[in-house]
Amino acid sequence: MGRTPCCDKNGLKKGPWTTEEDHKLTSYIQLHGPGNWRTLPKNAGLQRCGKSCRLRWTNYLRPDIKRGRFTFEEEETIIQLHSILGNKWSAIAARLPGRTDNEIKNYWNTHIRKRLLRNGIDPVTHAPRLDLLDLSAILGNALCHVNPAAGTQSPPSLLNPELLRIAAALASLKQENPELYHQQQQNLTDSQTTPSQLIQLQQADLERFLELNNNNDNNSGSQVSGQDNFASLPNDFGFWNTIPELSENCRSFQSCGAGLSGNNNGNGSDWYQSSLISGGGGNIGNADSSVISTPLSSPAQVTPTSSNFVNGSLSASTTTEDERESYCSSLLKFEIPESLELLDDFM
DNA sequence: AATTTAACCAACCGCCGAGCG
DNA sequence: GCGCTCGGCGGTTGGTTAAAT
């Protein structure tokens, strides 16, 4: 036969714990250790189920529990771990000393999850909510048909971040200038470019732009805004030249109070990263601003700068909720590959 | 000041794998 | 080997508090 039931549920108290019950449980565990949860309530003089005692201890009374607001670093860690582990709250909690799985789960559901949804990011996949943007049609037209000769080629994965960037740029272009969008779509078709070639072109252009940005910073000795650098792009830039409207989009960042903060510091990818995801010049959020509110529409929106960007993270002491919101968007999108190194630990 | 709505979070519920008898 | 419980986990509920009307 198996064990006898852990407790007879009849007559056992439920609901919030009183301070007296907390004291009894804490005193007993400090003297004897948790031991067997089944027999603990009786020995400790509690009218509770052992399971209830265990939950109260592990989630609330344990002396090593850190109470209070989550720090920015903790929040950052939760997001990165969640992108890898999903809803494995206990696994996430194991990497956040002093925090319980229950606490992390609550914080995720009440704060982080809502914030991601507001930013148009799917809290499950950590990818932009393409379903809200009608991007499938855009991708279908602009990418899958880019090279008719490669007719048997599989459609590109929607989770490919580079494709997502391109899709967002195309979405913005379609929104702001449908005529030009169709013109560029035709250009792409005529150029016989495959989706993978398109991605390579874009990456190559970005690298060249960043290199140019660094050179300008070094040569002039003064800070050159990404906006100025973008204006200086040579005419033969492949991808950007293919969709010249993109440069206009980037120039509009500043008027939106976002993106180009005039502080690239040789890390010109800041504006690039934040734009398409947070809804700046690329303005992925424009597709439906009622669903995806763009923090960039607020003048208070801040792109991480040297003053509040410390050791690769926003300084917790100077960040506002909006800043966290903005930073978390770019963090999710572009630091996941780095965090994948953690996978080794879980294998 | 009273009422309604939203946010928060502790606690419960139910499922599952491991292990006991 | 089987039946059962324990301990752990993730999802959900509902009471409390704060904010808005």
PDB file of all heavy atoms in Angstrom, chain B residues 3-16:
ATOM      1  P    DT B   3     -21.720  54.554  -1.056  1.00  0.00           P
ATOM      2  OP1  DT B   3     -23.169  54.230  -1.026  1.00  0.00           O
ATOM      3  OP2  DT B   3     -20.797  53.933  -0.082  1.00  0.00           O
ATOM      4  O5'  DT B   3     -21.176  54.227  -2.530  1.00  0.00           O
ATOM      5  C5'  DT B   3     -21.682  54.987  -3.630  1.00  0.00           C
ATOM      6  C4'  DT B   3     -20.864  54.695  -4.863  1.00  0.00           C
ATOM      7  O4'  DT B   3     -19.552  55.301  -4.730  1.00  0.00           O
ATOM      8  C3'  DT B   3     -20.621  53.201  -5.124  1.00  0.00           C
ATOM      9  O3'  DT B   3     -21.164  52.857  -6.395  1.00  0.00           O
ATOM     10  C2'  DT B   3     -19.099  53.046  -5.092  1.00  0.00           C
ATOM     11  C1'  DT B   3     -18.610  54.462  -5.357  1.00  0.00           C
ATOM     12  N1   DT B   3     -17.280  54.789  -4.784  1.00  0.00           N
ATOM     13  C2   DT B   3     -16.284  55.226  -5.630  1.00  0.00           C
ATOM     14  O2   DT B   3     -16.432  55.354  -6.830  1.00  0.00           O
ATOM     15  N3   DT B   3     -15.088  55.507  -5.011  1.00  0.00           N
ATOM     16  C4   DT B   3     -14.800  55.400  -3.659  1.00  0.00           C
ATOM     17  O4   DT B   3     -13.691  55.690  -3.215  1.00  0.00           O
ATOM     18  C5   DT B   3     -15.896  54.949  -2.830  1.00  0.00           C
ATOM     19  C7   DT B   3     -15.695  54.794  -1.358  1.00  0.00           C
ATOM     20  C6   DT B   3     -17.068  54.670  -3.424  1.00  0.00           C
ATOM     21  P    DT B   4     -21.088  51.371  -6.944  1.00  0.00           P
ATOM     22  OP1  DT B   4     -22.317  51.093  -7.724  1.00  0.00           O
ATOM     23  OP2  DT B   4     -20.693  50.477  -5.844  1.00  0.00           O
ATOM     24  O5'  DT B   4     -19.875  51.477  -7.976  1.00  0.00           O
ATOM     25  C5'  DT B   4     -19.860  52.551  -8.923  1.00  0.00           C
ATOM     26  C4'  DT B   4     -18.558  52.536  -9.701  1.00  0.00           C
ATOM     27  O4'  DT B   4     -17.468  52.968  -8.855  1.00  0.00           O
ATOM     28  C3'  DT B   4     -18.167  51.171 -10.267  1.00  0.00           C
ATOM     29  O3'  DT B   4     -17.818  51.338 -11.634  1.00  0.00           O
ATOM     30  C2'  DT B   4     -16.970  50.754  -9.416  1.00  0.00           C
ATOM     31  C1'  DT B   4     -16.368  52.102  -9.028  1.00  0.00           C
ATOM     32  N1   DT B   4     -15.577  52.129  -7.762  1.00  0.00           N
ATOM     33  C2   DT B   4     -14.302  52.638  -7.794  1.00  0.00           C
ATOM     34  O2   DT B   4     -13.772  53.074  -8.794  1.00  0.00           O
ATOM     35  N3   DT B   4     -13.658  52.633  -6.576  1.00  0.00           N
ATOM     36  C4   DT B   4     -14.150  52.184  -5.373  1.00  0.00           C
ATOM     37  O4   DT B   4     -13.478  52.240  -4.351  1.00  0.00           O
ATOM     38  C5   DT B   4     -15.499  51.666  -5.419  1.00  0.00           C
ATOM     39  C7   DT B   4     -16.138  51.154  -4.167  1.00  0.00           C
ATOM     40  C6   DT B   4     -16.139  51.661  -6.597  1.00  0.00           C
ATOM     41  P    DT B   5     -17.573  50.051 -12.564  1.00  0.00           P
ATOM     42  OP1  DT B   5     -18.151  50.316 -13.903  1.00  0.00           O
ATOM     43  OP2  DT B   5     -17.950  48.836 -11.801  1.00  0.00           O
ATOM     44  O5'  DT B   5     -15.984  50.080 -12.711  1.00  0.00           O
ATOM     45  C5'  DT B   5     -15.352  51.295 -13.107  1.00  0.00           C
ATOM     46  C4'  DT B   5     -13.848  51.166 -12.963  1.00  0.00           C
ATOM     47  O4'  DT B   5     -13.489  51.228 -11.559  1.00  0.00           O
ATOM     48  C3'  DT B   5     -13.262  49.858 -13.510  1.00  0.00           C
ATOM     49  O3'  DT B   5     -12.281  50.182 -14.471  1.00  0.00           O
ATOM     50  C2'  DT B   5     -12.666  49.164 -12.281  1.00  0.00           C
ATOM     51  C1'  DT B   5     -12.434  50.328 -11.326  1.00  0.00           C
ATOM     52  N1   DT B   5     -12.472  50.000  -9.872  1.00  0.00           N
ATOM     53  C2   DT B   5     -11.409  50.388  -9.083  1.00  0.00           C
ATOM     54  O2   DT B   5     -10.437  50.975  -9.509  1.00  0.00           O
ATOM     55  N3   DT B   5     -11.540  50.052  -7.751  1.00  0.00           N
ATOM     56  C4   DT B   5     -12.598  49.398  -7.153  1.00  0.00           C
ATOM     57  O4   DT B   5     -12.596  49.154  -5.950  1.00  0.00           O
ATOM     58  C5   DT B   5     -13.678  49.026  -8.034  1.00  0.00           C
ATOM     59  C7   DT B   5     -14.864  48.306  -7.502  1.00  0.00           C
ATOM     60  C6   DT B   5     -13.561  49.345  -9.345  1.00  0.00           C
ATOM     61  P    DA B   6     -11.500  49.033 -15.238  1.00  0.00           P
ATOM     62  OP1  DA B   6     -11.276  49.475 -16.629  1.00  0.00           O
ATOM     63  OP2  DA B   6     -12.147  47.734 -14.974  1.00  0.00           O
ATOM     64  O5'  DA B   6     -10.090  49.059 -14.484  1.00  0.00           O
ATOM     65  C5'  DA B   6      -9.473  50.320 -14.229  1.00  0.00           C
ATOM     66  C4'  DA B   6      -8.192  50.117 -13.441  1.00  0.00           C
ATOM     67  O4'  DA B   6      -8.496  49.867 -12.052  1.00  0.00           O
ATOM     68  C3'  DA B   6      -7.322  48.944 -13.915  1.00  0.00           C
ATOM     69  O3'  DA B   6      -5.983  49.398 -14.004  1.00  0.00           O
ATOM     70  C2'  DA B   6      -7.507  47.886 -12.833  1.00  0.00           C
ATOM     71  C1'  DA B   6      -7.793  48.734 -11.601  1.00  0.00           C
ATOM     72  N9   DA B   6      -8.624  48.105 -10.574  1.00  0.00           N
ATOM     73  C8   DA B   6      -9.827  47.480 -10.753  1.00  0.00           C
ATOM     74  N7   DA B   6     -10.361  47.031  -9.638  1.00  0.00           N
ATOM     75  C5   DA B   6      -9.442  47.391  -8.665  1.00  0.00           C
ATOM     76  C6   DA B   6      -9.434  47.199  -7.271  1.00  0.00           C
ATOM     77  N6   DA B   6     -10.401  46.581  -6.594  1.00  0.00           N
ATOM     78  N1   DA B   6      -8.366  47.675  -6.588  1.00  0.00           N
ATOM     79  C2   DA B   6      -7.394  48.293  -7.262  1.00  0.00           C
ATOM     80  N3   DA B   6      -7.294  48.534  -8.571  1.00  0.00           N
ATOM     81  C4   DA B   6      -8.377  48.047  -9.220  1.00  0.00           C
ATOM     82  P    DA B   7      -4.856  48.434 -14.528  1.00  0.00           P
ATOM     83  OP1  DA B   7      -3.957  49.232 -15.384  1.00  0.00           O
ATOM     84  OP2  DA B   7      -5.460  47.183 -15.035  1.00  0.00           O
ATOM     85  O5'  DA B   7      -4.084  48.100 -13.174  1.00  0.00           O
ATOM     86  C5'  DA B   7      -3.743  49.162 -12.294  1.00  0.00           C
ATOM     87  C4'  DA B   7      -3.081  48.617 -11.045  1.00  0.00           C
ATOM     88  O4'  DA B   7      -4.100  48.074 -10.175  1.00  0.00           O
ATOM     89  C3'  DA B   7      -2.071  47.493 -11.293  1.00  0.00           C
ATOM     90  O3'  DA B   7      -0.881  47.803 -10.600  1.00  0.00           O
ATOM     91  C2'  DA B   7      -2.762  46.241 -10.740  1.00  0.00           C
ATOM     92  C1'  DA B   7      -3.693  46.813  -9.687  1.00  0.00           C
ATOM     93  N9   DA B   7      -4.905  46.049  -9.424  1.00  0.00           N
ATOM     94  C8   DA B   7      -5.802  45.576 -10.340  1.00  0.00           C
ATOM     95  N7   DA B   7      -6.821  44.932  -9.809  1.00  0.00           N
ATOM     96  C5   DA B   7      -6.576  44.995  -8.451  1.00  0.00           C
ATOM     97  C6   DA B   7      -7.284  44.504  -7.339  1.00  0.00           C
ATOM     98  N6   DA B   7      -8.432  43.826  -7.444  1.00  0.00           N
ATOM     99  N1   DA B   7      -6.777  44.731  -6.114  1.00  0.00           N
ATOM    100  C2   DA B   7      -5.625  45.424  -6.021  1.00  0.00           C
ATOM    101  N3   DA B   7      -4.862  45.931  -6.987  1.00  0.00           N
ATOM    102  C4   DA B   7      -5.399  45.684  -8.190  1.00  0.00           C
ATOM    103  P    DC B   8       0.391  46.897 -10.804  1.00  0.00           P
ATOM    104  OP1  DC B   8       1.563  47.788 -10.751  1.00  0.00           O
ATOM    105  OP2  DC B   8       0.191  45.991 -11.939  1.00  0.00           O
ATOM    106  O5'  DC B   8       0.387  46.027  -9.468  1.00  0.00           O
ATOM    107  C5'  DC B   8       0.245  46.688  -8.209  1.00  0.00           C
ATOM    108  C4'  DC B   8      -0.048  45.686  -7.130  1.00  0.00           C
ATOM    109  O4'  DC B   8      -1.385  45.175  -7.296  1.00  0.00           O
ATOM    110  C3'  DC B   8       0.877  44.463  -7.113  1.00  0.00           C
ATOM    111  O3'  DC B   8       1.643  44.500  -5.923  1.00  0.00           O
ATOM    112  C2'  DC B   8      -0.064  43.264  -7.152  1.00  0.00           C
ATOM    113  C1'  DC B   8      -1.410  43.866  -6.767  1.00  0.00           C
ATOM    114  N1   DC B   8      -2.613  43.197  -7.316  1.00  0.00           N
ATOM    115  C2   DC B   8      -3.560  42.660  -6.433  1.00  0.00           C
ATOM    116  O2   DC B   8      -3.363  42.735  -5.219  1.00  0.00           O
ATOM    117  N3   DC B   8      -4.660  42.059  -6.948  1.00  0.00           N
ATOM    118  C4   DC B   8      -4.844  42.003  -8.267  1.00  0.00           C
ATOM    119  N4   DC B   8      -5.947  41.405  -8.721  1.00  0.00           N
ATOM    120  C5   DC B   8      -3.899  42.565  -9.178  1.00  0.00           C
ATOM    121  C6   DC B   8      -2.814  43.137  -8.664  1.00  0.00           C
ATOM    122  P    DC B   9       2.904  43.627  -5.760  1.00  0.00           P
ATOM    123  OP1  DC B   9       3.807  44.333  -4.830  1.00  0.00           O
ATOM    124  OP2  DC B   9       3.369  43.233  -7.099  1.00  0.00           O
ATOM    125  O5'  DC B   9       2.342  42.325  -5.029  1.00  0.00           O
ATOM    126  C5'  DC B   9       1.634  42.475  -3.811  1.00  0.00           C
ATOM    127  C4'  DC B   9       0.990  41.159  -3.423  1.00  0.00           C
ATOM    128  O4'  DC B   9      -0.162  40.920  -4.248  1.00  0.00           O
ATOM    129  C3'  DC B   9       1.899  39.926  -3.592  1.00  0.00           C
ATOM    130  O3'  DC B   9       1.691  39.078  -2.491  1.00  0.00           O
ATOM    131  C2'  DC B   9       1.352  39.278  -4.848  1.00  0.00           C
ATOM    132  C1'  DC B   9      -0.129  39.569  -4.657  1.00  0.00           C
ATOM    133  N1   DC B   9      -0.977  39.420  -5.862  1.00  0.00           N
ATOM    134  C2   DC B   9      -2.302  38.990  -5.705  1.00  0.00           C
ATOM    135  O2   DC B   9      -2.715  38.744  -4.570  1.00  0.00           O
ATOM    136  N3   DC B   9      -3.079  38.847  -6.797  1.00  0.00           N
ATOM    137  C4   DC B   9      -2.589  39.129  -8.005  1.00  0.00           C
ATOM    138  N4   DC B   9      -3.399  38.973  -9.055  1.00  0.00           N
ATOM    139  C5   DC B   9      -1.247  39.589  -8.186  1.00  0.00           C
ATOM    140  C6   DC B   9      -0.482  39.720  -7.095  1.00  0.00           C
ATOM    141  P    DA B  10       2.936  38.564  -1.664  1.00  0.00           P
ATOM    142  OP1  DA B  10       3.571  39.698  -0.986  1.00  0.00           O
ATOM    143  OP2  DA B  10       3.725  37.670  -2.530  1.00  0.00           O
ATOM    144  O5'  DA B  10       2.186  37.682  -0.564  1.00  0.00           O
ATOM    145  C5'  DA B  10       1.161  38.273   0.211  1.00  0.00           C
ATOM    146  C4'  DA B  10       0.009  37.294   0.384  1.00  0.00           C
ATOM    147  O4'  DA B  10      -0.702  37.150  -0.864  1.00  0.00           O
ATOM    148  C3'  DA B  10       0.421  35.896   0.830  1.00  0.00           C
ATOM    149  O3'  DA B  10      -0.501  35.456   1.813  1.00  0.00           O
ATOM    150  C2'  DA B  10       0.317  35.069  -0.458  1.00  0.00           C
ATOM    151  C1'  DA B  10      -0.793  35.781  -1.214  1.00  0.00           C
ATOM    152  N9   DA B  10      -0.707  35.729  -2.678  1.00  0.00           N
ATOM    153  C8   DA B  10       0.394  35.949  -3.453  1.00  0.00           C
ATOM    154  N7   DA B  10       0.155  35.869  -4.746  1.00  0.00           N
ATOM    155  C5   DA B  10      -1.185  35.575  -4.828  1.00  0.00           C
ATOM    156  C6   DA B  10      -2.045  35.360  -5.915  1.00  0.00           C
ATOM    157  N6   DA B  10      -1.661  35.413  -7.187  1.00  0.00           N
ATOM    158  N1   DA B  10      -3.342  35.093  -5.656  1.00  0.00           N
ATOM    159  C2   DA B  10      -3.732  35.044  -4.373  1.00  0.00           C
ATOM    160  N3   DA B  10      -3.023  35.224  -3.255  1.00  0.00           N
ATOM    161  C4   DA B  10      -1.744  35.491  -3.554  1.00  0.00           C
ATOM    162  P    DA B  11      -0.278  34.097   2.583  1.00  0.00           P
ATOM    163  OP1  DA B  11      -0.816  34.282   3.949  1.00  0.00           O
ATOM    164  OP2  DA B  11       1.111  33.641   2.377  1.00  0.00           O
ATOM    165  O5'  DA B  11      -1.243  33.104   1.805  1.00  0.00           O
ATOM    166  C5'  DA B  11      -2.618  33.430   1.717  1.00  0.00           C
ATOM    167  C4'  DA B  11      -3.296  32.487   0.743  1.00  0.00           C
ATOM    168  O4'  DA B  11      -2.879  32.793  -0.593  1.00  0.00           O
ATOM    169  C3'  DA B  11      -2.989  30.999   0.962  1.00  0.00           C
ATOM    170  O3'  DA B  11      -4.185  30.331   1.315  1.00  0.00           O
ATOM    171  C2'  DA B  11      -2.409  30.532  -0.374  1.00  0.00           C
ATOM    172  C1'  DA B  11      -2.861  31.612  -1.345  1.00  0.00           C
ATOM    173  N9   DA B  11      -1.984  31.844  -2.489  1.00  0.00           N
ATOM    174  C8   DA B  11      -0.641  32.091  -2.467  1.00  0.00           C
ATOM    175  N7   DA B  11      -0.100  32.263  -3.650  1.00  0.00           N
ATOM    176  C5   DA B  11      -1.173  32.117  -4.515  1.00  0.00           C
ATOM    177  C6   DA B  11      -1.278  32.183  -5.916  1.00  0.00           C
ATOM    178  N6   DA B  11      -0.237  32.417  -6.716  1.00  0.00           N
ATOM    179  N1   DA B  11      -2.501  31.994  -6.468  1.00  0.00           N
ATOM    180  C2   DA B  11      -3.546  31.756  -5.656  1.00  0.00           C
ATOM    181  N3   DA B  11      -3.572  31.666  -4.338  1.00  0.00           N
ATOM    182  C4   DA B  11      -2.342  31.861  -3.820  1.00  0.00           C
ATOM    183  P    DC B  12      -4.260  28.787   1.536  1.00  0.00           P
ATOM    184  OP1  DC B  12      -5.186  28.560   2.663  1.00  0.00           O
ATOM    185  OP2  DC B  12      -2.895  28.239   1.565  1.00  0.00           O
ATOM    186  O5'  DC B  12      -4.983  28.298   0.204  1.00  0.00           O
ATOM    187  C5'  DC B  12      -6.155  28.973  -0.238  1.00  0.00           C
ATOM    188  C4'  DC B  12      -6.543  28.460  -1.616  1.00  0.00           C
ATOM    189  O4'  DC B  12      -5.587  28.926  -2.591  1.00  0.00           O
ATOM    190  C3'  DC B  12      -6.594  26.941  -1.731  1.00  0.00           C
ATOM    191  O3'  DC B  12      -7.836  26.557  -2.309  1.00  0.00           O
ATOM    192  C2'  DC B  12      -5.404  26.598  -2.623  1.00  0.00           C
ATOM    193  C1'  DC B  12      -5.226  27.863  -3.442  1.00  0.00           C
ATOM    194  N1   DC B  12      -3.837  28.118  -3.916  1.00  0.00           N
ATOM    195  C2   DC B  12      -3.583  28.286  -5.286  1.00  0.00           C
ATOM    196  O2   DC B  12      -4.517  28.216  -6.080  1.00  0.00           O
ATOM    197  N3   DC B  12      -2.309  28.510  -5.678  1.00  0.00           N
ATOM    198  C4   DC B  12      -1.325  28.572  -4.783  1.00  0.00           C
ATOM    199  N4   DC B  12      -0.090  28.805  -5.227  1.00  0.00           N
ATOM    200  C5   DC B  12      -1.566  28.412  -3.387  1.00  0.00           C
ATOM    201  C6   DC B  12      -2.822  28.182  -2.999  1.00  0.00           C
ATOM    202  P    DC B  13      -8.252  25.041  -2.437  1.00  0.00           P
ATOM    203  OP1  DC B  13      -9.716  24.963  -2.247  1.00  0.00           O
ATOM    204  OP2  DC B  13      -7.334  24.241  -1.602  1.00  0.00           O
ATOM    205  O5'  DC B  13      -7.919  24.735  -3.965  1.00  0.00           O
ATOM    206  C5'  DC B  13      -8.462  25.584  -4.973  1.00  0.00           C
ATOM    207  C4'  DC B  13      -8.084  25.050  -6.344  1.00  0.00           C
ATOM    208  O4'  DC B  13      -6.724  25.437  -6.657  1.00  0.00           O
ATOM    209  C3'  DC B  13      -8.147  23.525  -6.454  1.00  0.00           C
ATOM    210  O3'  DC B  13      -8.838  23.185  -7.641  1.00  0.00           O
ATOM    211  C2'  DC B  13      -6.686  23.086  -6.497  1.00  0.00           C
ATOM    212  C1'  DC B  13      -5.981  24.315  -7.073  1.00  0.00           C
ATOM    213  N1   DC B  13      -4.583  24.539  -6.609  1.00  0.00           N
ATOM    214  C2   DC B  13      -3.562  24.749  -7.543  1.00  0.00           C
ATOM    215  O2   DC B  13      -3.838  24.723  -8.743  1.00  0.00           O
ATOM    216  N3   DC B  13      -2.302  24.967  -7.094  1.00  0.00           N
ATOM    217  C4   DC B  13      -2.050  24.990  -5.785  1.00  0.00           C
ATOM    218  N4   DC B  13      -0.787  25.220  -5.394  1.00  0.00           N
ATOM    219  C5   DC B  13      -3.076  24.787  -4.820  1.00  0.00           C
ATOM    220  C6   DC B  13      -4.311  24.562  -5.270  1.00  0.00           C
ATOM    221  P    DG B  14      -9.371  21.689  -7.830  1.00  0.00           P
ATOM    222  OP1  DG B  14     -10.680  21.750  -8.510  1.00  0.00           O
ATOM    223  OP2  DG B  14      -9.216  20.944  -6.561  1.00  0.00           O
ATOM    224  O5'  DG B  14      -8.307  21.106  -8.871  1.00  0.00           O
ATOM    225  C5'  DG B  14      -8.031  21.855 -10.047  1.00  0.00           C
ATOM    226  C4'  DG B  14      -6.782  21.307 -10.721  1.00  0.00           C
ATOM    227  O4'  DG B  14      -5.610  21.758 -10.010  1.00  0.00           O
ATOM    228  C3'  DG B  14      -6.696  19.775 -10.745  1.00  0.00           C
ATOM    229  O3'  DG B  14      -6.214  19.383 -12.009  1.00  0.00           O
ATOM    230  C2'  DG B  14      -5.680  19.456  -9.653  1.00  0.00           C
ATOM    231  C1'  DG B  14      -4.751  20.658  -9.795  1.00  0.00           C
ATOM    232  N9   DG B  14      -3.912  20.961  -8.639  1.00  0.00           N
ATOM    233  C8   DG B  14      -4.256  20.872  -7.312  1.00  0.00           C
ATOM    234  N7   DG B  14      -3.284  21.208  -6.503  1.00  0.00           N
ATOM    235  C5   DG B  14      -2.237  21.541  -7.350  1.00  0.00           C
ATOM    236  C6   DG B  14      -0.922  21.972  -7.061  1.00  0.00           C
ATOM    237  O6   DG B  14      -0.405  22.167  -5.951  1.00  0.00           O
ATOM    238  N1   DG B  14      -0.181  22.201  -8.225  1.00  0.00           N
ATOM    239  C2   DG B  14      -0.658  22.025  -9.500  1.00  0.00           C
ATOM    240  N2   DG B  14       0.191  22.291 -10.485  1.00  0.00           N
ATOM    241  N3   DG B  14      -1.879  21.612  -9.783  1.00  0.00           N
ATOM    242  C4   DG B  14      -2.609  21.391  -8.665  1.00  0.00           C
ATOM    243  P    DC B  15      -6.422  17.922 -12.542  1.00  0.00           P
ATOM    244  OP1  DC B  15      -7.473  17.967 -13.589  1.00  0.00           O
ATOM    245  OP2  DC B  15      -6.536  16.992 -11.398  1.00  0.00           O
ATOM    246  O5'  DC B  15      -5.027  17.673 -13.266  1.00  0.00           O
ATOM    247  C5'  DC B  15      -4.428  18.715 -14.037  1.00  0.00           C
ATOM    248  C4'  DC B  15      -2.921  18.583 -13.991  1.00  0.00           C
ATOM    249  O4'  DC B  15      -2.437  19.036 -12.711  1.00  0.00           O
ATOM    250  C3'  DC B  15      -2.419  17.150 -14.176  1.00  0.00           C
ATOM    251  O3'  DC B  15      -1.578  17.098 -15.324  1.00  0.00           O
ATOM    252  C2'  DC B  15      -1.650  16.836 -12.901  1.00  0.00           C
ATOM    253  C1'  DC B  15      -1.353  18.224 -12.327  1.00  0.00           C
ATOM    254  N1   DC B  15      -1.248  18.274 -10.842  1.00  0.00           N
ATOM    255  C2   DC B  15      -0.048  18.674 -10.243  1.00  0.00           C
ATOM    256  O2   DC B  15       0.915  18.967 -10.963  1.00  0.00           O
ATOM    257  N3   DC B  15       0.027  18.712  -8.896  1.00  0.00           N
ATOM    258  C4   DC B  15      -1.030  18.393  -8.154  1.00  0.00           C
ATOM    259  N4   DC B  15      -0.908  18.459  -6.835  1.00  0.00           N
ATOM    260  C5   DC B  15      -2.272  17.993  -8.751  1.00  0.00           C
ATOM    261  C6   DC B  15      -2.334  17.951 -10.084  1.00  0.00           C
ATOM    262  P    DC B  16      -1.153  15.691 -15.882  1.00  0.00           P
ATOM    263  OP1  DC B  16      -1.069  15.822 -17.352  1.00  0.00           O
ATOM    264  OP2  DC B  16      -1.976  14.625 -15.263  1.00  0.00           O
ATOM    265  O5'  DC B  16       0.332  15.547 -15.291  1.00  0.00           O
ATOM    266  C5'  DC B  16       1.245  16.628 -15.463  1.00  0.00           C
ATOM    267  C4'  DC B  16       2.538  16.301 -14.743  1.00  0.00           C
ATOM    268  O4'  DC B  16       2.379  16.590 -13.331  1.00  0.00           O
ATOM    269  C3'  DC B  16       2.962  14.835 -14.863  1.00  0.00           C
ATOM    270  O3'  DC B  16       4.294  14.757 -15.320  1.00  0.00           O
ATOM    271  C2'  DC B  16       2.810  14.288 -13.446  1.00  0.00           C
ATOM    272  C1'  DC B  16       2.940  15.544 -12.582  1.00  0.00           C
ATOM    273  N1   DC B  16       2.206  15.475 -11.284  1.00  0.00           N
ATOM    274  C2   DC B  16       2.859  15.824 -10.096  1.00  0.00           C
ATOM    275  O2   DC B  16       4.051  16.172 -10.143  1.00  0.00           O
ATOM    276  N3   DC B  16       2.178  15.758  -8.934  1.00  0.00           N
ATOM    277  C4   DC B  16       0.898  15.386  -8.928  1.00  0.00           C
ATOM    278  N4   DC B  16       0.267  15.340  -7.753  1.00  0.00           N
ATOM    279  C5   DC B  16       0.212  15.039 -10.122  1.00  0.00           C
ATOM    280  C6   DC B  16       0.902  15.100 -11.269  1.00  0.00           C
TER     281       DC B  16
END
